[in-house]
Amino acid sequence: MARTPSNMLPLGTVAPDFDLLNTVSDKKESLSNCKGKEGTVILFICNHCPFVIHINATIVEIANNYQKKGIRFIAISSNDVINYPQDAPHLMKKLAEEEKYPFPYLYDETQNVAKAYDAACTPDIFLFDKSLKLVYRGQLDDSRPGNEIPVTGTDLKNAMNNLLEKKPVSSIQKPSIGCNIKWKN
């Protein structure tokens, strides 16, 4: 299992827009029509990554809770599906339905969106404020497959709570660790 850290896009960066296929609805979705009233979490994930599988249930729980508070979640898979067919759009849809994702699961076929966000790993997590300025990027929490630390979502939840309470989000943020995005050759 490779351990790739996130690139830590500079805080304050404006979220690049996108228009991607929602694998569940089979319709195109843009950031402008998916963003949240109070904030937006963008997750770069994929089906097969053990780091993502490790946090899936907690992500669903957190999203169900915080979307009620005005923070929308959007998941994007940018993996090369030729070499990693388990991440193909029809299997993304199946996983989203099985896991009961309460957010769109979008397919970045060209990988241009991952590049625009400087995404490096799965999971790679970004929190933007209501103006779509980056306030948090990094890990969900300290849990990793096999380290026996419970998955709590503490780091992301603290950032979202501060955002909702109009408090500054700490600039001390730990990078996410996960599988590298599977880039096309």
Side-chain angles (χ1 to χ4, degrees):
M1 204 167 26
R3 292 180 163 264
T4 301
S6 51
N7 286 326
M8 305 303 278
L9 191 65
L11 296 173
T13 299
V14 175
D17 203 1
F18 51 74
D19 190 34
L20 297 173
L21 175 69
N22 181 334
T23 60
V24 176
S25 70
D26 207 32
K27 295 179 180 167
K28 291 279 189 156
E29 299 275 4
S30 68
L31 175 59
S32 55
N33 71 11
C34 286
K35 70 179 186 163
K37 190 176 78 157
E38 299 297 328
T40 305
V41 172
I42 296 180
L43 310 157
F44 285 87
I45 64 171
C46 71
N47 289 3
H48 83 275
C49 173
F51 292 89
V52 174
I53 293 166
H54 182 69
I55 66 167
N56 256 334
T58 302
I59 288 290
V60 168
E61 180 184 318
I62 292 170
N64 279 324
N65 187 17
Y66 281 86
Q67 288 190 139
K68 295 173 193 168
K69 300 175 183 182
I71 296 179
R72 289 284 316 269
F73 281 59
I74 302 165
I76 300 172
S77 179
S78 301
N79 277 358
D80 170 13
V81 299
I82 301 300
N83 291 306
Y84 297 87
Q86 62 270 48
D87 293 330
H90 71 284
L91 296 174
M92 291 170 59
K93 176 180 181 163
K94 182 178 181 224
L95 180 72
E97 290 170 345
E98 287 171 358
E99 295 288 335
K100 297 182 174 46
Y101 283 173
F103 43 77
Y105 193 12
L106 310 179
Y107 176 48
D108 178 19
E109 182 177 11
T110 65
Q111 300 184 319
N112 289 338
V113 176
K115 290 173 186 169
Y117 281 79
D118 202 19
C121 61
T122 56
D124 216 343
I125 302 169
F126 302 85
L127 171 61
F128 296 90
D129 66 14
K130 61 180 153 190
S131 301
L132 293 176
K133 289 186 180 165
L134 185 64
V135 295
Y136 178 81
R137 74 286 193 249
Q139 68 178 13
L140 182 68
D141 56 35
D142 289 322
S143 182
R144 305 287 183 267
N147 76 359
E148 306 304 320
I149 297 172
V151 182
T152 61
T154 300
D155 293 43
L156 178 59
K157 289 194 289 190
N158 286 342
M160 291 188 296
N161 289 338
N162 284 346
L163 181 64
L164 290 168
E165 294 166 11
K166 313 275 190 263
K167 294 178 182 174
V169 175
S170 173
S171 61
I172 300 168
Q173 301 174 6
K174 295 179 187 176
S176 186
I177 301 286
C179 299
N180 64 303
I181 289 179
K182 307 306 183 211
W183 300 106
K184 296 176 181 179
N185 294 332

